[in-house]
Amino acid sequence: MYDIIIRAGRQGNGQLIDIAIQDGKIAALGQLPVAAEAKRTLTLAGQVHVSAGWIDGHTHCYPTSPIYQDEPDKVGVESGVTTVIDAGSTGADDVDDFQRLAAGCKTRVHALLNISRIGLLRQNELANPADIDPALARAAIRRHPSFIVGIKARMSGSVVGENGLQPLRVAKQIQRDNGQLPLMVHVGNTPPDLDEIVALLGEGDLLTHCFNGKPNRILTPAGELRVAVRDAMQRGLRLDIGHGGASFSFEVAETAIRQGILPHTISSDIYCKNRIKGPVYSLAHVMSKFLAIGMTLEQVIACVTSHAADALRLPGKGRLEVGADADLTLFEVMSGPTLFTDTEAESRHGDRQLRPLAALVGGDLVLTQYGQSHHAFRV
C-alpha cells in the first residue's frame, strides 16, 4: 500500500498521469492499476494540473533581515512552492541563525550566501572591502554544505560603491575555492557596466534581473542582445528573472523572447512588501505573466522545475521520475481576463492565471488558501 496516490493529474503538456508516493519519494508513475491502494488518494480527474514541485530560485525570506524579509512558508508551501532559495539576505555572520530558522519550516529552504559577511544588513554591503572575507565564506559553506547551495553578489553601483568589479572577482575566487558553487549575480544601475560584469561570467553563473528595464539591460538601444551577454551565454551563463519591485520590464522581456532569448529560470525576488502590495504577489503570479507574453505552459513550468533544479544543483528535485523526492505542486490554470503589471508602470492583458492549490514536500500535503475549499482535497 502506498502512502498517497494522485489519480489523473494533468501535466503541462496536457497528458494525464498517476503518481504513487511512498516514504517521501515518487514510487511509481504513469497509469497505475485500478487496484492500487493508498492511505490517501487524490482524485484530480484531469481538472487539476500536477508538476514537479516549484522552485523559486530568488527570494528574500530571512525573517529577521532588516531590509528585505519574509516568512519562508508564506512564499513557499502556502503559495504552492516546495523549495525556496534565499538570494543573499545572509552572509557568514548570520547564516547560522537563518539555517536554524529554516530547519523548522515546511518548505525546503536553501540559501545563496552573500559574499559580504554582513549580508543585507545595509544596502551597500559590498562597499567596504573588509566585509568581503573568502575565509569566512568558506567556513560558512563548510558548516552548512546542504543549506548553502550557492553564492550571491549584487553588482550595482549603489552596492559596490568605489569597488567596481573587485567584489565580483572575489566572488569568482570564492566560487572556485568551494567546488564551483552556482554564483548568482544581481545587475542593476551602473557602474559597473553590464558588459564588464558578464565578461567575468560563464558556466555555473546566473544573471538575475535579466529582463530589467534599466539602462544596464541585456539589450542594446536597438533591441538586440548585447554581444558580451551572448558570448557569456555561450560559455554557460544562465538568465534568471528575479522580478522583484524594480527589475522586470515587459518590453525587454517581449523583445528578448521574440528573438528566442528565453529565461532559463523564472524567480520572484519576493519579500513581504512586493508580495502583499505587488507587483510580484507570488511566484505563480510571475509565472502567469510569461504565459501572457507568449511562453507556453510547458516552458514556464520547466523554468521553475527542471531548469531551476539543474541551475542550483538540487538533486532529486525538478522532475517527475521514480526515486525523486515527492515534491509536487498541484495547481489550476484559470481562464479569464487578468491585468498584469511590470516594474516600469507598464501593463499587459492576459487570459490565463496559475492558481496553486497544494504543495507536497516529501509527500506531506500542504493546502494553499485556494486548495482548502477545493473538492479534490476533501477526505
Side-chain angles (χ1 to χ4, degrees), residues 6-10 16-19 30 42-48 50:
I6 296 172
R7 293 280 187 184
R10 190 168 297 280
L16 301 183
I17 189 171
D18 298 337
I19 304 171
L42 302 178
T43 303
L44 305 186
Q47 298 177 8
V48 174
V50 61

Side-chain angles (χ1 to χ4, degrees), residues 71-304:
E71 300 289 335
D73 283 341
K74 288 189 181 299
V75 302
V77 290
E78 294 177 23
S79 299
V81 179
T82 58
T83 299
V84 298
I85 313 297
D86 182 278
S89 298
T90 57
D93 288 354
D94 49 4
V95 71
D96 296 348
D97 181 62
F98 185 26
Q99 190 278 329
R100 285 191 294 269
L101 289 168
C105 296
K106 295 178 181 178
T107 309
R108 298 190 193 270
V109 184
H110 298 282
L112 300 180
L113 186 74
N114 198 310
I115 63 166
S116 170
R117 62 181 295 174
I118 66 172
L120 289 178
L121 189 62
R122 59 175 188 265
Q123 287 282 13
N124 62 341
E125 77 270 16
L126 299 179
N128 184 351
D131 291 330
I132 310 172
D133 190 320
L136 289 179
R138 181 176 180 83
I141 292 165
R142 286 185 170 182
R143 289 196 304 274
H144 305 290
S146 60
F147 180 63
I148 297 173
V149 296
I151 55 178
K152 173 78 179 292
R154 299 202 306 150
M155 295 303 298
S156 293
S158 58
V159 178
V160 302
E162 301 299 318
N163 291 323
L165 290 170
Q166 186 56 23
L168 183 55
R169 295 190 181 100
V170 177
K172 294 298 290 185
Q173 175 192 333
I174 294 171
Q175 181 185 46
R176 289 191 297 270
D177 293 345
N178 293 277
Q180 285 297 123
L181 282 173
L183 165 63
M184 178 178 284
V185 177
H186 154 122
V187 61
N189 291 315
T190 56
D193 184 78
L194 180 59
D195 286 357
E196 298 176 304
I197 292 171
V198 297
L200 299 177
L201 303 180
E203 185 67 34
D205 300 330
L206 296 92
L207 186 73
T208 195
H209 310 315
C210 67
F211 290 161
N212 78 72
K214 301 169 186 177
N216 218 17
R217 65 183 71 179
I218 67 169
L219 302 179
T220 67
E224 299 173 345
L225 184 65
R226 292 194 191 198
V227 172
V229 175
R230 178 177 287 107
D231 290 346
M233 291 175 66
Q234 290 174 348
R235 296 192 297 271
L237 176 68
R238 292 179 166 99
L239 300 181
D240 174 65
I241 293 302
H243 186 300
S247 301
F248 177 71
S249 162
F250 275 128
E251 181 182 356
V252 173
E254 290 166 335
T255 302
I257 289 171
R258 281 197 298 268
Q259 299 175 53
I261 306 162
L262 272 63
H264 294 90
T265 51
I266 294 175
S267 65
S268 66
D269 189 17
I270 197 168
Y271 75 108
C272 61
K273 182 178 179 181
N274 66 36
R275 173 173 59 83
I276 296 169
K277 297 183 178 181
V280 174
Y281 298 111
S282 67
L283 179 62
H285 189 76
V286 173
M287 293 161 64
S288 299
K289 294 182 183 185
F290 286 87
L291 296 179
I293 60 174
M295 288 179 62
T296 68
L297 180 60
E298 273 193 287
Q299 288 173 327
V300 169
I301 294 299
C303 285
V304 300

Side-chain angles (χ1 to χ4, degrees), residues 336-377:
T338 304
L339 185 67
F340 298 104
T341 59
D342 64 9
T343 65
E344 303 292 318
E346 295 293 329
S347 61
R348 297 291 187 273
H349 292 275
D351 58 8
R352 289 182 295 170
Q353 172 84 343
L354 302 182
R355 177 183 289 179
L357 301 175
L360 284 92
V361 180
D364 293 333
L365 181 69
V366 179
L367 300 181
T368 70
Q369 61 173 324
Y370 304 113
Q372 290 170 11
S373 60
H374 198 281
H375 65 84
F377 306 106

